[in-house]
Amino acid sequence: MERPKIIRISGIKDEAEGIKTIFLRHSMVAKPGQFVMLWIPGIDEKPFAVSYSDQKKGEIGLTVAAVGPFSNRLSSMKEGDKVGIRGPYGRGYNLGKNSKQLVMAGGGYGSASLTMLAEEAVSKGCNVKFILGARSKARLVYADRIKKLLGSGNLIITTDDGSAGIKGFVTDALKNLFKAQKVDRVYACGPDRMLKAVSDICNENKIDCEVSIERYMKCGFGLCGHCCVDPIGIRACAEGPVISSAQAAKISELGSYHRVKSSRKEKL
Amino acid sequence: MQIDLSTKILNIRLSNPTILASGVMGVSGAACVYAAKKGAGAIVPKSLGPKEREGHANPVLVEFDKGFLNAVGLPNSGVDNSLGEIEFAMKNAGVPVFPSLFGGTKEEFGYVAERLSTLNPQMLEINLSCPNTASDFGEAFALNEKAAAEVIRIVKSKTKVPIIAKLAPNVPDIKKVARAVVEAGADAISAINTMPGMVINVDVARPVLHNRQGGVSGPALKPVAVNCVYEIHKAVKVPIIGIGGVTTGEDAVEFIMAGACAVEIGTGIYYRGIDVFRKVTAEMEEIMQRNGYSSIKEMVGAAHK
Ligand SMILES: Cc1cc2nc3c(=O)[nH]c(=O)nc-3n(C[C@H](O)[C@H](O)[C@H](O)COP(=O)(O)OP(=O)(O)OC[C@H]3O[C@@H](n4cnc5c(N)ncnc54)[C@H](O)[C@@H]3O)c2cc1C
Ligand SMILES: Cc1cc2nc3c(=O)[nH]c(=O)nc-3n(C[C@H](O)[C@H](O)[C@H](O)COP(=O)(O)O)c2cc1C
Ligand code: FES
């Protein structure tokens, strides 16, 4: 039934400057890359990727970057507060059958879904390199979680200002990796321009790649059409949010514009 | 037996009688084309108004056991920003596109119709009946036959493009509204838009939809809609497009036998997927085969005998 289920927040964790994880007791089984719609009754309801899923405990986590009215409000909520949740929605990432050497490229809170994917990949015996990008050291999320999972040799940090790891972009680190080692598959989640760049680089190098795209969502389950992308018309919430880089190459608006709440196009 | 699934609305030929309903999927030109490629015989894009509107906050859709409620609030970027989207749809859909429009005043309906007519669409659908804008517009136009007729008269004075008047079910006698809009110049009627409804979440003691009230669509609406089409068919001679809860070929044939020459499908996309159009058309063919009909025309109004 497509309606929010009311749950009390069971825990809150600070991840980085302006970024928190909200934990909810919910037996929902979400694949890495899938998202939920989170409702603050009387305020609004917005999409968030599932970033933690502990099926034994029956708990999921959503990692929220405070960027505007809704996410700030959500970030200031307390343990015990009621929120509504529905989902999971959309198509998650696929771990290819014969892909052993994987690279995750996460920008900002985009590493939420990729960290869960990395956990699954490791449990299936894949080798994972994680490129974690952020504006600055203070905005880095999950560095410890990823180090624990992969070992620090497999975590490559990039910051725009050089305050941690390599000064530069996720894409610079990705290009270097291509030169240094064999890569079977790349997964990317982050700002639109980064996704466009990663997808282009992978297409040029003929490396399989999946990217998770974000578009303004209303229903989340493929009916309202608000999240359809130009010019191919597929729905980010239903055919996406995870799409192949081959599909990404056909989306002319990727990295260039998106639609706002009214549906008007706005340059990124 | 050779079965012809094509249908005609006025002189416009549709390769099959399933049309994408306004407000579902068709937010952009690309989305309209996507639905057309999945088998729709024609496309009605999301309703456009005179200026940009954000619509309501989420949730804008909520499910119940036999359908959905929606209160999206007519978001659109305004007709002038949207002409390119409609043009894209008309160029690339490969099937007829009937832009839908609304206004807050009758003059606004006229303005939007005039702007859209510059693209020379084959028809325009006039959304007289959206229940979601009542707070800024007062009573929906379709709830009052005089108001509805006035809108149609103004639109007719602003365009040469044939127009479809889209009616609401929640009136004492839909025949009266149908007669009034046809007298005012409507070339066709589509029926119906949604019915007012509410779903309350008991754990927070408030309606789920941000707008509190919404419009019922999907299977729960179907018998109401079939009855409206049946009544309208008795009252007027213009072509009727049936809308409300079509998810199967059988549903579509019910509407056609009640008097429609085509159906629009919205919520059915949720239940059957975006290729619902292809599925419904194939199921209609099977029903026609079974009952010895070779064309849609033979079935139009068959239930009135
Ligand atoms: C599939 C998907 C997964 C996401 N996962 C996460 C996540 O894990 N963590 C996280 O912090 N954020 C995530 N987001 C983004 C999150 O939904 C927005 O940051 C949030 O909605 C912003 O709302 P606001 O009121 O705080 O900001 P606003 O100031 O209203 O908007 C800030 C930005 O968010 C976008 N946005 C606003 N509303 C929506 C909406 N309904 N749908 C999509 N984008 C919107 C705006 O276009 C704008 O670019 C995800 C978005 C999508 C589509
Ligand atoms: C999400 C949603 C948005 C809608 N928006 C519009 C709209 O903008 N204009 C309009 O005329 N009808 C709109 N409608 C009504 C539909 O076009 C249709 O009349 C109604 O949903 C019944 O058909 P269905 O049961 O096949 O969905 C909308 C319906 C839904 C579900
Ligand atoms: S958000 Fe409604 S179709 Fe994707």
Side-chain angles (χ1 to χ4, degrees):
Chain A
M1 195 62 61
E2 306 295 358
R3 54 211 279 183
K5 185 175 154 62
I6 301 298
I7 298 180
R8 288 180 194 278
I9 294 174
S10 54
I12 294 167
K13 181 181 170 208
D14 279 315
E15 299 278 6
E17 189 181 281
I19 303 179
K20 284 184 185 174
T21 298
I22 308 279
F23 290 95
L24 302 164
R25 286 275 152 72
H26 194 340
S27 54
M28 174 187 287
V29 180
K31 274 187 67 176
Q34 286 192 302
F35 67 94
V36 298
M37 296 297 291
L38 189 106
W39 183 37
I40 307 179
I43 304 295
D44 209 331
E45 185 197 44
K46 305 264 183 184
F48 293 91
V50 177
S51 62
Y52 290 85
S53 170
D54 185 338
Q55 276 163 43
K56 264 186 239 129
K57 241 172 124 183
E59 191 171 67
I60 63 164
L62 310 176
T63 301
V64 179
V67 296
F70 183 86
S71 48
N72 269 297
R73 176 110 186 192
L74 184 57
S75 298
S76 66
M77 290 182 84
K78 302 275 173 295
E79 204 177 308
D81 286 350
K82 284 178 178 175
V83 293
I85 186 168
R86 57 186 178 92
Y89 294 122
R91 198 177 150 270
Y93 302 100
N94 296 296
L95 286 174
K97 272 216 185 71
N98 302 313
S99 307
K100 280 277 166 279
Q101 306 291 338
L102 310 183
V103 176
M104 316 278 151
Y109 64 77
S111 28
S113 59
L114 290 176
T115 307
M116 243 174 76
L117 179 67
E119 285 166 356
E120 188 184 325
V122 166
S123 76
K124 292 195 169 146
C126 301
N127 298 318
V128 180
K129 283 259 167 31
F130 206 117
I131 307 171
L132 187 60
R135 254 183 279 154
S136 66
K137 186 176 178 184
R139 306 274 305 175
L140 272 176
V141 277
Y142 306 135
D144 293 336
R145 186 175 166 200
I146 297 165
K147 260 186 225 160
K148 216 184 277 167
L149 177 71
L150 305 175
S152 46
N154 289 314
L155 171 64
I156 302 157
I157 290 173
T158 67
T159 49
D160 299 359
D161 63 358
S163 53
I166 307 163
K167 180 173 181 344
F169 300 118
V170 164
T171 41
D172 302 325
L174 184 64
K175 282 185 206 156
N176 289 337
L177 260 189
F178 285 171
K179 285 181 208 143
Q181 69 162 81
K182 179 173 182 297
V183 174
D184 294 325
R185 242 172 135 82
V186 174
Y187 301 90
C189 185
D192 229 50
R193 277 214 198 88
M194 177 199 125
L195 297 181
K196 172 72 180 152
V198 168
S199 156
D200 285 350
I201 295 167
C202 291
N203 287 339
E204 278 160 28
N205 288 277
K206 302 209 162 40
I207 292 171
D208 284 345
C209 168
E210 288 186 331
V211 301
S212 178
I213 61 170
E214 264 186 28
R215 284 297 178 265
Y216 200 102
M217 287 180 186
K218 294 196 170 178
C219 69
F221 48 73
L223 197 56
C224 74
H226 207 87
C227 66
C228 291
V229 289
D230 288 348
I232 57 175
I234 60 167
R235 297 162 291 186
C237 72
E239 283 77 37
V242 176
I243 58 171
S244 69
S245 55
Q247 272 173 308
K250 293 184 202 150
I251 299 175
S252 56
E253 66 174 69
L254 192 68
S256 130
Y257 65 90
H258 68 162
R259 282 170 207 279
V260 297
K261 191 175 174 189
S262 69
S263 82
R264 181 174 43 79
K265 293 179 195 173
E266 187 181 78
K267 275 204 158 39
L268 287 166
Chain B
M1 190 174 52
Q2 194 60 33
I3 292 180
D4 180 6
L5 283 153
S6 73
T7 190
K8 263 190 165 178
I9 309 173
L10 303 172
N11 59 348
I12 303 155
R13 184 181 177 277
L14 274 54
S15 60
N16 76 67
T18 67
I19 304 173
L20 174 68
S22 182
V24 174
M25 278 299 289
V27 168
S28 62
C32 291
V33 173
Y34 186 53
K37 300 295 174 212
K38 298 292 179 181
I43 299 290
V44 183
K46 175 84 190 160
S47 298
L48 297 174
K51 44 186 187 297
E52 183 174 1
R53 273 176 71 96
E54 281 204 322
H56 302 308
N58 254 4
V60 296
L61 266 156
V62 59
E63 190 180 6
F64 63 99
D65 49 359
K66 288 282 180 288
F68 279 82
L69 285 186
N70 86 81
V72 190
L74 292 170
N76 75 104
S77 48
V79 66
D80 294 305
N81 285 323
S82 305
L83 292 177
E85 301 285 349
I86 301 293
E87 218 174 355
F88 182 92
M90 288 173 63
K91 259 198 198 121
N92 298 291
V95 300
V97 175
F98 310 139
S100 165
L101 63 97
F102 72 94
T105 61
K106 33 191 204 300
E107 291 74 23
E108 284 181 356
F109 276 92
Y111 171 74
V112 184
E114 197 173 2
R115 297 295 293 140
L116 284 168
S117 299
T118 58
L119 299 174
N120 258 322
Q122 284 168 289
M123 287 203 279
L124 290 172
E125 188 176 79
I126 315 303
N127 178 7
L128 294 166
S129 46
C130 187
N132 294 334
T133 50
S135 54
D136 12 35
F137 298 162
E139 187 181 68
F141 292 89
L143 300 188
N144 176 315
E145 70 253 30
K146 284 202 187 81
E150 250 177 89
V151 170
I152 297 301
R153 223 169 273 125
I154 293 211
V155 169
K156 282 304 276 187
S157 75
K158 298 284 181 192
T159 182
K160 297 246 159 5
V161 176
I163 62 171
I164 311 163
K166 183 168 179 179
L167 303 188
N170 44 324
V171 290
D173 182 2
I174 201 163
K175 295 193 292 298
K176 272 195 192 152
V177 189
R179 280 190 208 105
V181 293
V182 169
E183 254 165 50
D187 302 277
I189 287 178
S190 59
I192 52 179
N193 209 314
T194 55
M195 294 262 285
M198 184 180 285
V199 168
I200 292 172
N201 184 303
V202 299
D203 292 319
V204 289
R206 70 182 306 137
V208 176
L209 293 176
H210 190 84
N211 188 52
R212 294 172 179 266
Q213 286 149 333
V216 176
S217 69
L221 193 61
K222 195 189 72 177
V224 176
V226 171
N227 182 58
C228 287
V229 169
Y230 190 92
E231 291 285 289
I232 296 166
H233 186 78
K234 287 198 297 196
V236 294
K237 293 273 174 288
V238 300
I240 305 165
I241 301 172
I243 321 172
V246 176
T247 59
T248 65
E250 187 169 334
D251 298 336
V253 171
E254 274 195 58
F255 274 101
I256 289 170
M257 290 182 167
C261 55
V263 295
E264 289 182 24
I265 302 178
T267 310
I269 290 178
Y270 178 79
Y271 297 104
R272 306 285 308 273
I274 183 80
D275 54 350
V276 60
F277 308 99
R278 217 167 265 155
K279 291 175 180 161
V280 166
T281 305
E283 290 159 3
M284 289 179 75
E285 185 168 9
E286 199 273 321
I287 293 168
M288 291 167 73
Q289 187 78 262
R290 189 166 88 207
N291 292 289
Y293 294 106
S294 62
S295 71
I296 301 290
K297 208 171 149 195
E298 290 164 44
M299 299 194 292
V300 174
H304 286 265
K305 65 176 181 293

